[in-house]
Amino acid sequence: MLGQLNSTNLNNMNFGKGIILAFIFFGIFIGVLVGVCMKQEINLTSADYYQQELDYGKKMEAVQNVNLLAELPDFQLAQNKLIVKYQDMQQVEDGTIQVFRPSDRSLDQEFTLTRDTATTRIFPSDNFHEGLYRVRMNWMMDGKSFFIEKILTR
């Protein structure tokens, strides 16, 4: 009799019950998907992105100034150092070099530029692991602002 009840219960499965089960499984699937997505870590490119968007016009002017230069700075990532080669480095009044690792904010770094007679500057660091980096250089020269961004891999 128990065998007959189980087989009759399976035979009683109809189209309406199938739709209800499909909705239940779909709801469970969506719930799990939302849970997994909520646990993902989200790294912003910078914490002050709003202020950077407000300064976008100044940045575009600095990019245009870079386009007028005869020679552009050259960046290289070596073992544990960032190498910057720029023929007009002695004219740089002040500036910064920011190195961003898009996949890991803890590897981001910032270096300060000052007036120097050397055309090649070396910035040592132990945080240059294998991967993609975004290098941004902001500097002042002859009273003008300059900005360049390069993507490097190591």
Side-chain angles (χ1 to χ4, degrees):
M1 178 157 181
L2 187 61
Q4 289 177 342
L5 283 177
N6 285 338
S7 64
T8 11
N9 287 341
L10 290 177
N11 291 337
N12 286 337
M13 185 72 164
N14 60 26
F15 189 67
K17 290 180 184 177
I19 290 176
I20 297 296
L21 285 176
F23 277 127
I24 290 172
F25 287 128
F26 180 73
I28 291 171
F29 170 74
I30 294 297
V32 169
L33 187 66
V34 167
V36 168
C37 290
M38 294 296 287
K39 290 181 182 179
Q40 293 294 318
E41 184 178 333
I42 299 172
N43 288 323
L44 297 174
T45 303
S46 66
D48 63 339
Y49 68 92
Y50 184 71
Q51 183 61 39
Q52 288 181 4
E53 286 298 316
L54 293 176
D55 296 335
Y56 186 72
K58 294 176 187 175
K59 180 179 173 183
M60 290 288 73
E61 183 179 328
V63 168
Q64 288 175 351
N65 289 338
V66 166
N67 292 334
L68 299 174
L69 292 174
E71 187 172 337
L72 298 177
D74 181 45
F75 305 98
Q76 296 174 353
L77 280 177
Q79 285 286 345
N80 291 324
K81 58 190 168 196
L82 171 67
I83 302 169
V84 181
K85 295 179 184 177
Y86 184 42
Q87 293 302 320
D88 295 330
M89 191 69 80
Q90 67 274 7
Q91 295 178 12
V92 172
E93 297 163 9
D94 70 330
T96 59
I97 296 177
Q98 299 169 321
V99 182
F100 294 100
R101 176 74 184 261
S103 62
D104 188 357
R105 175 187 281 183
S106 68
L107 298 177
D108 292 354
Q109 298 180 51
E110 186 168 328
F111 304 103
T112 303
L113 286 174
T114 55
R115 190 179 300 270
D116 195 347
T117 57
T119 58
T120 300
R121 299 281 304 267
I122 298 173
F123 300 97
S125 176
D126 293 333
N127 285 339
F128 293 136
H129 301 290
E130 296 285 325
L132 181 121
Y133 289 89
R134 181 171 288 161
V135 179
R136 295 178 179 163
M137 182 173 163
N138 292 297
W139 74 99
M140 293 291 292
M141 189 169 67
D142 300 327
K144 293 182 182 177
S145 178
F146 295 85
F147 175 81
I148 190 168
E149 181 174 343
K150 298 281 183 177
I151 294 176
L152 302 175
T153 56
R154 185 178 110 52

Short mmCIF file of all heavy atoms in Angstrom, two decimals, residues 100-141:
data_model
loop_
_atom_site.label_atom_id
_atom_site.label_comp_id
_atom_site.label_asym_id
_atom_site.label_seq_id
_atom_site.Cartn_x
_atom_site.Cartn_y
_atom_site.Cartn_z
N PHE A 100 48.43 53.14 -9.45
CA PHE A 100 47.21 52.44 -9.02
C PHE A 100 47.25 51.00 -9.50
O PHE A 100 47.60 50.72 -10.65
CB PHE A 100 45.95 53.09 -9.64
CG PHE A 100 45.69 54.47 -9.15
CD1 PHE A 100 46.04 55.56 -9.92
CD2 PHE A 100 45.08 54.68 -7.93
CE1 PHE A 100 45.80 56.84 -9.48
CE2 PHE A 100 44.83 55.96 -7.48
CZ PHE A 100 45.19 57.04 -8.26
N ARG A 101 46.84 50.11 -8.63
CA ARG A 101 46.64 48.70 -9.01
C ARG A 101 45.13 48.49 -8.98
O ARG A 101 44.51 48.42 -7.91
CB ARG A 101 47.34 47.79 -8.02
CG ARG A 101 47.12 46.31 -8.24
CD ARG A 101 47.93 45.82 -9.45
NE ARG A 101 47.66 44.44 -9.74
CZ ARG A 101 48.44 43.44 -9.36
NH1 ARG A 101 49.54 43.68 -8.70
NH2 ARG A 101 48.12 42.21 -9.67
N PRO A 102 44.45 48.47 -10.17
CA PRO A 102 42.99 48.40 -10.19
C PRO A 102 42.40 47.21 -9.42
O PRO A 102 41.32 47.31 -8.87
CB PRO A 102 42.66 48.29 -11.67
CG PRO A 102 43.83 48.89 -12.37
CD PRO A 102 45.02 48.56 -11.51
N SER A 103 43.13 46.11 -9.34
CA SER A 103 42.57 44.93 -8.70
C SER A 103 42.85 44.85 -7.20
O SER A 103 42.30 44.00 -6.51
CB SER A 103 43.13 43.67 -9.37
OG SER A 103 44.53 43.62 -9.21
N ASP A 104 43.71 45.74 -6.67
CA ASP A 104 44.06 45.67 -5.25
C ASP A 104 44.47 47.05 -4.74
O ASP A 104 45.58 47.50 -5.00
CB ASP A 104 45.18 44.67 -5.03
CG ASP A 104 45.45 44.40 -3.56
OD1 ASP A 104 44.82 45.02 -2.69
OD2 ASP A 104 46.31 43.54 -3.28
N ARG A 105 43.58 47.71 -4.04
CA ARG A 105 43.83 49.06 -3.55
C ARG A 105 45.02 49.12 -2.60
O ARG A 105 45.70 50.15 -2.51
CB ARG A 105 42.58 49.57 -2.84
CG ARG A 105 42.77 50.93 -2.20
CD ARG A 105 41.60 51.32 -1.39
NE ARG A 105 40.56 51.80 -2.26
CZ ARG A 105 39.41 52.28 -1.85
NH1 ARG A 105 39.14 52.32 -0.58
NH2 ARG A 105 38.52 52.70 -2.69
N SER A 106 45.33 48.05 -1.89
CA SER A 106 46.42 48.07 -0.93
C SER A 106 47.79 48.23 -1.60
O SER A 106 48.76 48.57 -0.93
CB SER A 106 46.40 46.81 -0.07
OG SER A 106 46.72 45.68 -0.87
N LEU A 107 47.87 48.02 -2.91
CA LEU A 107 49.13 48.16 -3.63
C LEU A 107 49.29 49.54 -4.28
O LEU A 107 50.30 49.80 -4.94
CB LEU A 107 49.26 47.07 -4.70
CG LEU A 107 49.30 45.64 -4.17
CD1 LEU A 107 49.34 44.64 -5.32
CD2 LEU A 107 50.47 45.43 -3.24
N ASP A 108 48.31 50.44 -4.09
CA ASP A 108 48.41 51.79 -4.63
C ASP A 108 49.52 52.56 -3.91
O ASP A 108 49.71 52.39 -2.70
CB ASP A 108 47.09 52.54 -4.46
CG ASP A 108 45.98 51.97 -5.32
OD1 ASP A 108 46.26 51.06 -6.12
OD2 ASP A 108 44.84 52.45 -5.18
N GLN A 109 50.22 53.42 -4.67
CA GLN A 109 51.31 54.20 -4.10
C GLN A 109 51.33 55.59 -4.69
O GLN A 109 50.82 55.81 -5.78
CB GLN A 109 52.65 53.52 -4.38
CG GLN A 109 52.76 52.15 -3.76
CD GLN A 109 54.10 51.53 -4.05
OE1 GLN A 109 55.12 52.15 -3.83
NE2 GLN A 109 54.08 50.32 -4.56
N GLU A 110 51.95 56.51 -3.97
CA GLU A 110 52.10 57.88 -4.46
C GLU A 110 53.52 58.36 -4.16
O GLU A 110 54.04 58.15 -3.06
CB GLU A 110 51.08 58.81 -3.80
CG GLU A 110 51.11 60.20 -4.37
CD GLU A 110 49.92 61.03 -3.93
OE1 GLU A 110 48.83 60.47 -3.72
OE2 GLU A 110 50.10 62.25 -3.81
N PHE A 111 54.14 58.98 -5.15
CA PHE A 111 55.50 59.51 -5.03
C PHE A 111 55.46 61.00 -5.32
O PHE A 111 54.67 61.47 -6.12
CB PHE A 111 56.44 58.81 -6.01
CG PHE A 111 56.48 57.32 -5.86
CD1 PHE A 111 55.80 56.51 -6.77
CD2 PHE A 111 57.17 56.72 -4.83
CE1 PHE A 111 55.82 55.14 -6.64
CE2 PHE A 111 57.20 55.35 -4.69
CZ PHE A 111 56.52 54.55 -5.61
N THR A 112 56.36 61.74 -4.68
CA THR A 112 56.42 63.19 -4.85
C THR A 112 57.55 63.55 -5.81
O THR A 112 58.65 63.01 -5.71
CB THR A 112 56.67 63.87 -3.49
OG1 THR A 112 55.62 63.48 -2.60
CG2 THR A 112 56.66 65.38 -3.63
N LEU A 113 57.26 64.47 -6.71
CA LEU A 113 58.26 64.99 -7.64
C LEU A 113 58.73 66.35 -7.16
O LEU A 113 57.92 67.19 -6.76
CB LEU A 113 57.68 65.16 -9.04
CG LEU A 113 57.44 63.91 -9.86
CD1 LEU A 113 56.72 64.27 -11.15
CD2 LEU A 113 58.74 63.22 -10.17
N THR A 114 60.03 66.58 -7.22
CA THR A 114 60.60 67.88 -6.92
C THR A 114 61.59 68.23 -8.02
O THR A 114 61.94 67.38 -8.84
CB THR A 114 61.32 67.86 -5.55
OG1 THR A 114 62.29 66.82 -5.57
CG2 THR A 114 60.35 67.65 -4.42
N ARG A 115 62.03 69.46 -8.02
CA ARG A 115 63.00 69.89 -9.03
C ARG A 115 64.28 69.07 -8.86
O ARG A 115 64.79 68.92 -7.76
CB ARG A 115 63.29 71.38 -8.87
CG ARG A 115 64.09 71.95 -10.02
CD ARG A 115 64.32 73.44 -9.83
NE ARG A 115 63.09 74.22 -9.75
CZ ARG A 115 62.48 74.77 -10.80
NH1 ARG A 115 62.98 74.60 -12.00
NH2 ARG A 115 61.39 75.46 -10.64
N ASP A 116 64.79 68.54 -9.97
CA ASP A 116 65.98 67.71 -9.94
C ASP A 116 66.71 67.85 -11.26
O ASP A 116 66.08 68.01 -12.31
CB ASP A 116 65.58 66.24 -9.71
CG ASP A 116 66.73 65.37 -9.30
OD1 ASP A 116 67.90 65.80 -9.41
OD2 ASP A 116 66.48 64.24 -8.86
N THR A 117 68.04 67.75 -11.23
CA THR A 117 68.81 67.90 -12.46
C THR A 117 68.87 66.59 -13.25
O THR A 117 69.15 66.61 -14.45
CB THR A 117 70.25 68.35 -12.15
OG1 THR A 117 70.85 67.41 -11.26
CG2 THR A 117 70.24 69.74 -11.53
N ALA A 118 68.59 65.48 -12.61
CA ALA A 118 68.64 64.19 -13.31
C ALA A 118 67.44 64.03 -14.23
O ALA A 118 66.33 64.43 -13.89
CB ALA A 118 68.67 63.05 -12.30
N THR A 119 67.64 63.45 -15.40
CA THR A 119 66.53 63.22 -16.33
C THR A 119 65.84 61.88 -16.05
O THR A 119 64.77 61.63 -16.58
CB THR A 119 67.03 63.23 -17.78
OG1 THR A 119 68.04 62.24 -17.94
CG2 THR A 119 67.59 64.60 -18.14
N THR A 120 66.46 61.05 -15.23
CA THR A 120 65.86 59.77 -14.86
C THR A 120 65.69 59.73 -13.35
O THR A 120 66.63 59.98 -12.61
CB THR A 120 66.75 58.59 -15.31
OG1 THR A 120 66.91 58.65 -16.71
CG2 THR A 120 66.12 57.27 -14.93
N ARG A 121 64.48 59.43 -12.93
CA ARG A 121 64.20 59.30 -11.49
C ARG A 121 63.79 57.86 -11.23
O ARG A 121 63.03 57.26 -11.99
CB ARG A 121 63.05 60.23 -11.08
CG ARG A 121 63.31 61.71 -11.30
CD ARG A 121 64.17 62.35 -10.23
NE ARG A 121 63.69 62.20 -8.89
CZ ARG A 121 62.91 63.09 -8.27
NH1 ARG A 121 62.49 64.16 -8.89
NH2 ARG A 121 62.52 62.87 -7.04
N ILE A 122 64.26 57.32 -10.11
CA ILE A 122 63.95 55.95 -9.71
C ILE A 122 63.26 56.01 -8.35
O ILE A 122 63.79 56.59 -7.40
CB ILE A 122 65.22 55.09 -9.64
CG1 ILE A 122 65.86 55.01 -11.03
CG2 ILE A 122 64.89 53.70 -9.11
CD1 ILE A 122 67.20 54.32 -11.07
N PHE A 123 62.08 55.41 -8.29
CA PHE A 123 61.30 55.36 -7.06
C PHE A 123 61.22 53.91 -6.59
O PHE A 123 60.50 53.10 -7.20
CB PHE A 123 59.89 55.92 -7.28
CG PHE A 123 59.89 57.35 -7.75
CD1 PHE A 123 59.79 57.65 -9.10
CD2 PHE A 123 60.01 58.38 -6.85
CE1 PHE A 123 59.78 58.95 -9.54
CE2 PHE A 123 60.01 59.70 -7.27
CZ PHE A 123 59.90 60.00 -8.62
N PRO A 124 61.95 53.55 -5.53
CA PRO A 124 61.93 52.16 -5.07
C PRO A 124 60.66 51.81 -4.31
O PRO A 124 60.06 52.67 -3.66
CB PRO A 124 63.15 52.08 -4.15
CG PRO A 124 63.38 53.47 -3.70
CD PRO A 124 62.86 54.38 -4.78
N SER A 125 60.25 50.56 -4.41
CA SER A 125 59.08 50.08 -3.68
C SER A 125 59.09 48.55 -3.67
O SER A 125 59.55 47.92 -4.62
CB SER A 125 57.80 50.56 -4.32
OG SER A 125 56.69 50.01 -3.67
N ASP A 126 58.57 47.97 -2.61
CA ASP A 126 58.45 46.51 -2.52
C ASP A 126 57.07 46.03 -2.95
O ASP A 126 56.80 44.84 -2.91
CB ASP A 126 58.72 46.05 -1.08
CG ASP A 126 60.17 46.28 -0.67
OD1 ASP A 126 61.03 46.29 -1.57
OD2 ASP A 126 60.42 46.46 0.53
N ASN A 127 56.18 46.95 -3.35
CA ASN A 127 54.80 46.58 -3.64
C ASN A 127 54.47 46.40 -5.11
O ASN A 127 53.31 46.36 -5.47
CB ASN A 127 53.84 47.63 -3.05
CG ASN A 127 53.72 47.50 -1.55
OD1 ASN A 127 54.00 46.45 -0.99
ND2 ASN A 127 53.31 48.56 -0.90
N PHE A 128 55.44 46.35 -5.99
CA PHE A 128 55.15 46.17 -7.41
C PHE A 128 55.12 44.69 -7.74
O PHE A 128 56.10 44.11 -8.17
CB PHE A 128 56.17 46.91 -8.29
CG PHE A 128 56.10 48.39 -8.18
CD1 PHE A 128 57.25 49.15 -8.08
CD2 PHE A 128 54.89 49.05 -8.17
CE1 PHE A 128 57.19 50.52 -7.97
CE2 PHE A 128 54.81 50.43 -8.07
CZ PHE A 128 55.97 51.16 -7.97
N HIS A 129 53.96 44.08 -7.54
CA HIS A 129 53.78 42.66 -7.86
C HIS A 129 53.39 42.52 -9.33
O HIS A 129 53.07 43.50 -9.99
CB HIS A 129 52.69 42.05 -6.96
CG HIS A 129 53.00 42.17 -5.51
ND1 HIS A 129 54.00 41.45 -4.91
CD2 HIS A 129 52.47 42.95 -4.53
CE1 HIS A 129 54.06 41.76 -3.62
NE2 HIS A 129 53.13 42.68 -3.37
N GLU A 130 53.40 41.30 -9.83
CA GLU A 130 53.01 41.05 -11.21
C GLU A 130 51.58 41.52 -11.44
O GLU A 130 50.71 41.32 -10.60
CB GLU A 130 53.10 39.55 -11.53
CG GLU A 130 54.49 38.97 -11.45
CD GLU A 130 55.35 39.35 -12.62
OE1 GLU A 130 54.83 39.46 -13.74
OE2 GLU A 130 56.56 39.54 -12.43
N GLY A 131 51.34 42.17 -12.58
CA GLY A 131 49.99 42.58 -12.92
C GLY A 131 49.94 43.93 -13.60
O GLY A 131 50.95 44.50 -14.00
N LEU A 132 48.72 44.45 -13.71
CA LEU A 132 48.46 45.70 -14.42
C LEU A 132 48.47 46.88 -13.44
O LEU A 132 47.91 46.78 -12.35
CB LEU A 132 47.10 45.62 -15.11
CG LEU A 132 46.72 46.86 -15.91
CD1 LEU A 132 46.50 46.46 -17.35
CD2 LEU A 132 45.49 47.50 -15.34
N TYR A 133 49.09 47.97 -13.86
CA TYR A 133 49.14 49.20 -13.06
C TYR A 133 48.76 50.38 -13.93
O TYR A 133 49.01 50.40 -15.12
CB TYR A 133 50.55 49.45 -12.50
CG TYR A 133 50.94 48.49 -11.42
CD1 TYR A 133 51.56 47.28 -11.72
CD2 TYR A 133 50.68 48.78 -10.08
CE1 TYR A 133 51.91 46.39 -10.72
CE2 TYR A 133 51.03 47.90 -9.08
CZ TYR A 133 51.65 46.71 -9.41
OH TYR A 133 51.98 45.83 -8.42
N ARG A 134 48.16 51.38 -13.31
CA ARG A 134 47.84 52.64 -13.98
C ARG A 134 48.69 53.72 -13.31
O ARG A 134 48.59 53.94 -12.11
CB ARG A 134 46.35 52.93 -13.81
CG ARG A 134 45.91 54.21 -14.48
CD ARG A 134 44.42 54.31 -14.47
NE ARG A 134 43.92 53.32 -15.43
CZ ARG A 134 42.69 52.86 -15.45
NH1 ARG A 134 41.82 53.27 -14.57
NH2 ARG A 134 42.33 51.98 -16.35
N VAL A 135 49.55 54.36 -14.11
CA VAL A 135 50.46 55.38 -13.59
C VAL A 135 49.95 56.75 -14.04
O VAL A 135 49.73 56.98 -15.22
CB VAL A 135 51.90 55.15 -14.11
CG1 VAL A 135 52.83 56.23 -13.58
CG2 VAL A 135 52.40 53.78 -13.71
N ARG A 136 49.76 57.65 -13.07
CA ARG A 136 49.31 59.01 -13.35
C ARG A 136 50.36 59.98 -12.83
O ARG A 136 50.76 59.91 -11.68
CB ARG A 136 47.98 59.29 -12.66
CG ARG A 136 46.85 58.46 -13.16
CD ARG A 136 45.60 58.77 -12.40
NE ARG A 136 44.48 57.98 -12.90
CZ ARG A 136 43.36 57.79 -12.24
NH1 ARG A 136 43.18 58.35 -11.07
NH2 ARG A 136 42.40 57.05 -12.77
N MET A 137 50.77 60.88 -13.70
CA MET A 137 51.76 61.89 -13.31
C MET A 137 51.16 63.27 -13.48
O MET A 137 50.72 63.64 -14.57
CB MET A 137 53.02 61.74 -14.16
CG MET A 137 54.12 62.69 -13.82
SD MET A 137 55.62 62.26 -14.75
CE MET A 137 56.55 63.76 -14.59
N ASN A 138 51.10 64.03 -12.39
CA ASN A 138 50.67 65.43 -12.37
C ASN A 138 51.88 66.27 -12.02
O ASN A 138 52.59 65.95 -11.06
CB ASN A 138 49.62 65.68 -11.27
CG ASN A 138 48.32 64.99 -11.54
OD1 ASN A 138 47.66 65.29 -12.52
ND2 ASN A 138 47.94 64.08 -10.67
N TRP A 139 52.13 67.32 -12.77
CA TRP A 139 53.26 68.18 -12.42
C TRP A 139 53.03 69.60 -12.92
O TRP A 139 52.23 69.84 -13.80
CB TRP A 139 54.57 67.60 -12.91
CG TRP A 139 54.85 67.69 -14.38
CD1 TRP A 139 55.63 68.63 -15.01
CD2 TRP A 139 54.39 66.82 -15.42
NE1 TRP A 139 55.69 68.39 -16.36
CE2 TRP A 139 54.93 67.28 -16.65
CE3 TRP A 139 53.56 65.70 -15.45
CZ2 TRP A 139 54.67 66.67 -17.87
CZ3 TRP A 139 53.31 65.09 -16.66
CH2 TRP A 139 53.86 65.57 -17.84
N MET A 140 53.77 70.51 -12.31
CA MET A 140 53.75 71.92 -12.69
C MET A 140 55.10 72.25 -13.32
O MET A 140 56.15 71.82 -12.82
CB MET A 140 53.55 72.82 -11.46
CG MET A 140 52.19 72.71 -10.81
SD MET A 140 50.86 73.36 -11.82
CE MET A 140 51.24 75.09 -11.80
N MET A 141 55.04 72.98 -14.42
CA MET A 141 56.25 73.37 -15.12
C MET A 141 55.97 74.70 -15.82
O MET A 141 54.97 74.81 -16.54
CB MET A 141 56.64 72.27 -16.13
CG MET A 141 57.98 72.44 -16.78
SD MET A 141 58.48 70.96 -17.70
CE MET A 141 57.29 70.91 -19.03
#
